[in-house]
Amino acid sequence: MAAADSALVRRAVTRYGMRLGARRFVAGEDSSQFLPVAKAANAQGFSVAATILGESVRDRCETGAVATEYCRLLRAFADDGIDANVAFKLTHVGLEIDPELAFENASTIAAAAEQTGNTVRMDMEQSRFVVPTLAIYRRLRERYVGVGFVLQSYLYRSRSDLDALLPLAPNVRIVKGAYLESPDVARPNKRDVDENYVELAELALSHDGYTAIATHDARIVDHVMEFAARRGMPKRGRFEFQMLYGIAAPLARRALERGYRVRLSLPYGENWFPYLMRRLAERPANVAFFLRGAFMR
Ligand code: FDA
């Protein structure tokens, strides 16, 4: 497709995509649309992780506004009794401008979480951000207990990162990894990624802290349930399952019905285009689902 054509498609999808089908994956463009969706998820028994969509922000003022919006959200959860925490990207709050700025904004959000009796997690982005993200996590963890981070099982380094952080009794979310990475830093073979996922999950579950098993891989979900049961771990309190809103809903419901805590990662915001593209790229069948939205209104 010519560059001009693809720019046109992007503009059309950005303009009409929320109506066409993005709502399957994204809870609207602002908090007034997001909050009812979060409440509906709670009514079904799911906890929620709220994310305001956006990344790679280069404008200092915008990063402050993002932090303020997360604080507002945390207060709304407390005021309305919504079972939701927040997960944000450090490049959304300034990591690419100045790590110190990102730290200050992240501290503001973590303080709001603490004041409202809630928790906050920093997503993991491209591999070049792992070192600054974990450095910020360590600094935040000195001040706040309810702060978490993410490790990606496709990265070779994640095992040693987990080993190094286990003494902090961390709140860690384990994912496979969503970015295009060089084979120098990330396992190119999916089976290796899956195997390492299980290793990281078992290691985290065997130590103090809290583990979020974030995957739609039914075999891993079943494996973790069996592993935890064999060790006599309670179904809630030491770990939870996390899935993306709109994906693998039957698996999420099954885990919930078996008595586990299941948290849906529920994003919203005007900048939903890159998020949607990532979900479509993960599974081509989603493209058909997305397009069907255009005709089934
Ligand atoms: P895998 O890709 O092997 O898929 C297993 C099965 O799940 C598939 O067979 C299919 O049935 C289903 N499935 C997976 N993706 C689907 C899709 N898009 N649509 C429909 N079905 C799908 N990544 C990252 O790099 N940093 C992060 O901070 C996070 N955070 C995060 C939070 C949460 C709650 C989740 C669930 C995931 C992330 N991720 C992430 C994304 C993660 O790295 C990964 O890209 C996706 O979860 C897809 O991998 P699975 O673990 O689902 O396995």
Side-chain angles (χ1 to χ4, degrees):
M1 196 186 291
D5 289 346
S6 84
L8 207 65
V9 169
R10 185 189 165 105
R11 267 209 302 281
V13 171
T14 308
R15 190 152 171 202
Y16 301 112
M18 191 57 77
R19 270 197 291 153
L20 292 184
R23 265 187 209 288
R24 180 195 165 181
F25 304 107
V26 176
E29 294 195 329
D30 58 35
S31 61
S32 71
Q33 294 170 342
F34 166 84
L35 290 170
V37 182
K39 285 180 188 167
N42 282 175
Q44 291 175 37
F46 295 107
S47 304
V48 165
T51 292
I52 304 167
L53 291 168
E55 52 201 286
S56 300
V57 169
R58 305 283 180 164
D59 174 337
R60 276 180 178 266
C61 292
E62 198 182 330
T63 68
V66 171
T68 303
E69 172 74 2
Y70 272 114
C71 295
R72 234 167 39 86
L73 209 50
L74 284 158
R75 276 193 295 276
F77 295 159
D79 292 346
D80 293 358
I82 297 175
D83 174 10
N85 61 11
V86 300
F88 65 95
K89 291 189 170 22
L90 279 172
T91 69
H92 201 191
V93 294
L95 188 58
E96 284 179 292
I97 304 169
D98 173 4
E100 212 44 42
L101 173 68
F103 171 70
E104 288 305 328
N105 281 323
S107 300
T108 303
I109 302 170
E114 188 170 85
Q115 280 156 18
T116 54
N118 209 329
T119 59
V120 57
R121 185 184 307 281
M122 292 173 292
D123 287 341
M124 191 58 85
E125 303 177 68
Q126 290 90 337
S127 56
R128 66 181 184 281
F129 298 119
V130 173
V131 169
T133 298
L134 296 183
I136 288 176
Y137 167 74
R138 280 183 178 279
R139 288 173 70 190
L140 289 176
R141 185 68 181 77
E142 283 170 18
R143 283 198 225 167
Y144 306 105
V145 179
V147 183
F149 62 100
V150 178
L151 290 179
Q152 299 151 319
S153 70
Y154 64 11
L155 292 188
Y156 292 111
R157 59 170 298 151
S158 291
R159 170 64 199 256
S160 58
D161 286 331
L162 182 57
D163 282 337
L165 289 161
L166 280 174
L168 299 180
N171 183 330
V172 57
R173 173 203 289 159
I174 300 175
V175 302
K176 290 188 185 177
Y179 299 89
L180 196 60
E181 296 285 356
S182 143
D184 295 340
V185 296
R187 296 172 175 78
N189 185 320
K190 183 170 167 7
R191 185 177 296 177
D192 296 341
V193 176
D194 293 355
E195 271 175 21
N196 194 44
Y197 190 109
V198 171
E199 271 180 39
L200 293 175
E202 289 186 356
L203 184 65
L205 288 164
S206 306
H207 288 79
D208 287 345
Y210 193 81
T211 308
I213 303 294
T215 182
H216 317 101
D217 189 327
R219 277 177 315 158
I220 292 182
V221 168
D222 287 343
H223 178 90
V224 166
M225 287 177 182
E226 282 162 27
F227 179 83
R230 267 203 315 276
R231 300 197 142 229
M233 293 169 74
K235 288 186 174 178
R236 286 168 178 249
R238 283 286 321 283
F239 70 99
E240 67 185 33
F241 294 104
Q242 295 192 350
M243 296 182 203
L244 301 178
Y245 177 68
I247 295 178
L251 181 64
R253 269 197 304 275
R254 181 160 66 86
L256 198 63
E257 282 161 12
R258 288 192 185 178
Y260 296 92
R261 181 187 279 274
V262 182
R263 189 177 298 277
L264 297 183
S265 169
L266 188 55
Y268 75 91
E270 288 173 6
N271 296 315
W272 49 266
F273 186 80
Y275 178 85
L276 178 68
M277 290 302 117
R278 235 170 259 154
R279 300 294 79 84
L280 297 184
E282 273 164 4
R283 194 158 182 252
N286 286 342
V287 177
F289 188 97
F290 175 71
L291 292 174
R292 266 207 307 281
F295 304 106
M296 291 177 63
R297 278 176 290 133

